[in-house]
Amino acid sequence: MLEGNFISILVLIYSIRNCKLSRILNTLMVIIGVVFFSGVCNAAPTCDSPAFAVENVRIDEIAETGTKARENGLSKATSKAFNRILTRLLLSEEDVSALLSKAEAQDYLGYFHIHNETTLAIGYLGEIDFCFDAKEVRRLFRQNGLAWAELVSPPILTIPIWREASGAIVWSENNNWLNSWNEHSKTYDGLLSFVSIKPNIKTQRQLREDAIFAEKPEILKLAINAVGASQLLTVTAEIDHYTTIPVLRLSARLFDENANPIATLIEQNHELNGTKNIALLFEEFQYDLISELEKFWKEQNIILPQSDFVFMAHVSVESLSKWRSLQETLSSMPIVRKVGPILLSDSEGLIQVTIAGSIPQFTANLNSVGYILMEDDDEIYISEKR
């Protein structure tokens, strides 16, 4: 609606100029248009469901006119953003392709926000954020019988390590292995939430490179706490020169929030015989690792289109407003199909919850919105985090 209003104002300005009204009125209308457009650009809304948001889509389009270039560019950018949403949420490339062949991206768009734009005589440049309508996209998945996941993971701290004969390197800015992972944290666009540490003198003194490589729990935990992460992923690379042909050794280890090792996720060895360059091997390893992590996360948080589970839950009631707020919060969760009140007393309520998944999946979703679930003697209790 705002975009349409802005175009209408431009048309009005153009009409006023053609009618040769006074320069004062003409200038006034131009100022109104500029101020209105500035307001549109600055009033950046927040997408209610982060999994359905795509940011900073760039447009560089050429056409017969600037207006046509803008129209074409926005249409292509919307389709591109929708493709990214489907790839992020659905479980396979086949599912993505199937939906793209039958669904129009514009039908599922909630809104878009233009950061900046330039309309030329035969071209258009723009940078745009998109937010898709979560309810409509979920309905599309269910209508087509497709399972999906949309829960964004808690922060995962990634620490890349390059090992040499002289020791481990973590904080150098002139290392391709380290830089590739630090850049990945900025550009990754899936459901996993990767974060990294910006090194400074204090960081380098507290988080010693040799201690990180040795996996000393107190140092790893310090790193995790520094960025408020829930897990730590270390990715290590080294070239073994003690073999007939040098071997590139790559590995990834996952730790919990207390720096306890969870698993070695992947290990690869590549002979450096000239068939592939190191940069390509880095890229392939990164793709393999992230693909496995995403697959595991989606499987753990999958939402099935037609598999419902119904249960009763007790909730503490401090006030009528909190009772309503809890029901609204639960109803907004992607895994929840329906919430129905059963009983209400002065201090406790009983609700019936229908979910498209399992109790562990519901619990993970519940934690993400500030509530916890407890089970006692086959009874389920939901309460706010304290």
Side-chain angles (χ1 to χ4, degrees), residues 1-7 36-37 39-48 52-59 67 69-82 85 105-117 119 124-133:
M1 182 63 71
L2 292 176
E3 304 298 331
N5 288 341
F6 175 61
I7 293 172
F36 181 87
F37 177 66
V40 172
C41 287
N42 292 333
T46 301
C47 197
D48 292 335
F52 293 84
V54 178
E55 298 180 344
N56 301 322
V57 179
R58 297 181 183 275
I59 301 175
T67 302
R70 185 181 193 275
E71 180 183 326
N72 293 346
L74 288 175
S75 177
K76 290 179 181 178
T78 304
S79 297
K80 180 180 179 181
F82 190 54
I85 290 294
Q106 289 82 355
D107 295 339
Y108 301 93
L109 181 63
Y111 65 82
F112 64 87
H113 168 70
I114 300 175
H115 287 290
N116 55 69
E117 64 174 359
T119 303
Y124 175 79
L125 302 171
E127 188 174 326
I128 303 177
D129 292 346
F130 291 89
C131 180
F132 288 87
D133 189 319

Side-chain angles (χ1 to χ4, degrees), residues 9-77:
I9 287 177
L10 289 181
V11 171
L12 180 58
I13 294 169
Y14 182 79
S15 300
I16 291 172
R17 285 175 175 166
N18 283 351
C19 290
K20 299 181 180 179
L21 293 180
S22 71
R23 289 186 178 181
I24 295 176
L25 182 57
N26 190 23
T27 302
L28 178 61
M29 290 306 299
V30 171
I31 291 173
I32 291 173
V34 171
V35 171
F36 181 87
F37 177 66
S38 176
V40 172
C41 287
N42 292 333
T46 301
C47 197
D48 292 335
S49 302
F52 293 84
V54 178
E55 298 180 344
N56 301 322
V57 179
R58 297 181 183 275
I59 301 175
D60 186 353
E61 188 72 18
I62 296 176
E64 298 84 5
T65 66
T67 302
K68 186 65 176 176
R70 185 181 193 275
E71 180 183 326
N72 293 346
L74 288 175
S75 177
K76 290 179 181 178

Side-chain angles (χ1 to χ4, degrees), residues 324-344:
R324 289 173 178 166
S325 176
L326 171 62
Q327 293 181 71
E328 290 172 359
T329 300
L330 295 179
S331 298
S332 69
M333 290 167 54
I335 197 173
V336 174
R337 299 291 294 276
K338 186 178 179 181
V339 178
I342 303 299
L343 294 172
L344 177 62

Side-chain angles (χ1 to χ4, degrees), residues 174-364:
N174 299 310
N175 184 286
N176 290 336
W177 173 252
L178 307 184
N179 290 339
S180 68
W181 282 98
N182 291 330
E183 283 301 312
H184 176 266
S185 297
K186 303 174 186 175
T187 59
Y188 173 76
D189 194 35
L191 292 176
L192 302 175
S193 178
F194 292 103
V195 295
S196 57
I197 294 177
K198 270 193 172 182
N200 53 41
I201 295 176
K202 181 180 178 182
T203 300
Q204 294 180 36
R205 287 176 177 171
Q206 289 182 332
L207 307 176
R208 301 187 317 278
E209 294 172 316
D210 59 331
I212 291 174
F213 178 74
E215 299 181 353
K216 292 189 175 180
E218 65 276 13
I219 300 300
L220 298 186
K221 190 169 182 179
L222 194 63
I224 293 169
N225 293 337
V227 292
S230 64
Q231 291 182 330
L232 165 65
L233 176 67
T234 61
V235 284
T236 304
E238 66 172 309
I239 298 177
D240 185 350
H241 292 281
Y242 294 98
T243 54
T244 304
I245 299 174
V247 175
L248 175 66
R249 305 193 188 280
L250 307 170
S251 63
R253 298 257 294 162
L254 189 65
F255 301 80
D256 67 17
E257 61 184 354
N258 294 313
N260 298 312
I262 297 175
T264 297
L265 300 176
I266 188 171
E267 290 181 322
Q268 292 182 0
N269 298 314
H270 301 277
E271 289 189 345
L272 300 180
N273 53 19
T275 58
K276 286 185 179 180
N277 64 45
I278 290 182
L280 181 59
L281 292 172
F282 287 172
E283 186 178 324
E284 290 178 349
F285 175 83
Q286 194 174 76
Y287 177 83
D288 291 344
L289 174 60
I290 301 305
S291 295
E292 284 301 310
L293 285 171
E294 278 195 328
K295 180 181 177 182
F296 177 78
W297 180 256
K298 287 183 176 181
E299 287 174 349
Q300 294 301 307
N301 297 284
I302 191 171
I303 300 174
L304 301 174
Q306 297 163 340
S307 177
D308 289 350
F309 178 73
V310 181
F311 63 91
M312 300 290 185
H314 299 272
V315 297
S316 58
V317 178
E318 297 179 7
S319 66
L320 189 58
S321 61
K322 286 200 171 185
W323 164 252
R324 289 173 178 166
S325 176
L326 171 62
Q327 293 181 71
E328 290 172 359
T329 300
L330 295 179
S331 298
S332 69
M333 290 167 54
I335 197 173
V336 174
R337 299 291 294 276
K338 186 178 179 181
V339 178
I342 303 299
L343 294 172
L344 177 62
S345 67
D346 292 339
S347 59
E348 186 179 75
L350 181 66
I351 57 175
Q352 178 175 285
V353 184
T354 304
I355 60 175
S358 64
I359 290 294
Q361 291 171 327
F362 173 75
T363 302

Side-chain angles (χ1 to χ4, degrees), residues 356-373:
S358 64
I359 290 294
Q361 291 171 327
F362 173 75
T363 302
N365 279 254
L366 197 63
N367 291 339
S368 72
V369 294
Y371 289 87
I372 59 173
L373 181 147

